[in-house]
Amino acid sequence: GTYFDSLISAVGCDSITTTILTINNSPNTIINGISNICKGENAILIASGGGNYLWNTGATNDTINVSPTVNTVYNVTSTNTCGSDSDLFSMTVNLPPTLSLGNDTTVGLGTTLQLVSSGGNTYQWNTGENTAAITVSPTETTIYYVTTTDINGCTATDSIRISIDSRCEYYLPTIFTPNGDGINDKVFLTGSGIKAIKLL
């Protein structure tokens, strides 16, 4: 605030002195930010309550952007004319869930497969399903994707390529006319990759 001092002499002369006194608070350093992240993510930490800042990372700003790969403790010290103060901030780094759909594979046309994912709490396939396992019967080469999210909000994505082997295709007519006119007189199996045929 502002303070006044008045002096009156014996002969009636007076003098007034004005003094402005500023009170500075001692630092009270606090770090705010997200304390849990997934590996590979960034987080912003903000320090307040002081003047000049020095982090244990070497940064001197009040705000830093960090991307730790393991659990890490961050420290910042703030100073002003009245002293210094420090604060600690512990950050937990969560690993993403483990997810594997297996190796890419090749199947014959008409094959039905079950694709199974695990390691998370929720699942989302590019086919629209949101269950851990789905059943597919691709008619052409198809890539299936799934993303899983665990209880920490961390995600993982995997894919599998299902190729169709056309050599396994075949066709058997359902009717023939053995009347000697040269049209559909015989029944036979057509296709490729056929090793043996047995008609019952």
Side-chain angles (χ1 to χ4, degrees), residues 41-131:
E41 293 181 343
N42 295 342
I44 295 177
L45 300 181
I46 302 174
S48 61
N52 300 315
Y53 298 95
L54 178 61
W55 297 81
N56 59 341
T57 62
T60 56
N61 298 322
D62 60 344
T63 301
I64 61 172
N65 193 334
V66 297
S67 182
T69 58
V70 296
N71 295 345
T72 304
V73 176
Y74 293 94
N75 172 273
V76 66
T77 299
S78 62
T79 59
N80 63 17
T81 57
C82 295
S84 62
D85 185 44
S86 299
D87 192 24
L88 298 175
F89 190 91
S90 297
M91 182 170 291
T92 301
V93 179
N94 301 297
L95 297 177
T98 301
L99 177 64
S100 176
L101 293 177
N103 298 324
D104 296 344
T105 187
T106 300
V107 298
L109 184 64
T111 302
T112 298
L113 299 172
Q114 187 179 54
L115 305 180
V116 180
S117 58
S118 61
N121 282 46
T122 62
Y123 303 88
Q124 186 62 56
W125 296 82
N126 62 330
T127 56
E129 289 92 335
N130 54 12
T131 56

Side-chain angles (χ1 to χ4, degrees), residues 8 14 28 31 35 58-59 61 72 80 82 91 94 97 108 123-124 140 143 146 157 160 169 174 185 187 194-195:
I8 301 177
D14 61 353
N28 182 23
I31 301 175
S35 59
N61 298 322
T72 304
N80 63 17
C82 295
M91 182 170 291
N94 301 297
Y123 303 88
Q124 186 62 56
E140 60 183 2
I143 299 178
V146 63
T157 300
I160 185 171
E169 296 179 353
T174 57
D185 287 334
V187 60
I194 300 171
K195 182 177 181 181

Side-chain angles (χ1 to χ4, degrees), residues 162-178:
I162 307 298
S163 300
I164 300 300
D165 188 349
S166 61
R167 295 176 301 174
C168 298
E169 296 179 353
Y170 64 88
Y171 172 72
L172 178 66
T174 57
I175 189 172
F176 72 107
T177 57

Side-chain angles (χ1 to χ4, degrees), residues 7-15:
L7 173 65
I8 301 177
S9 68
V11 294
C13 297
D14 61 353
S15 175

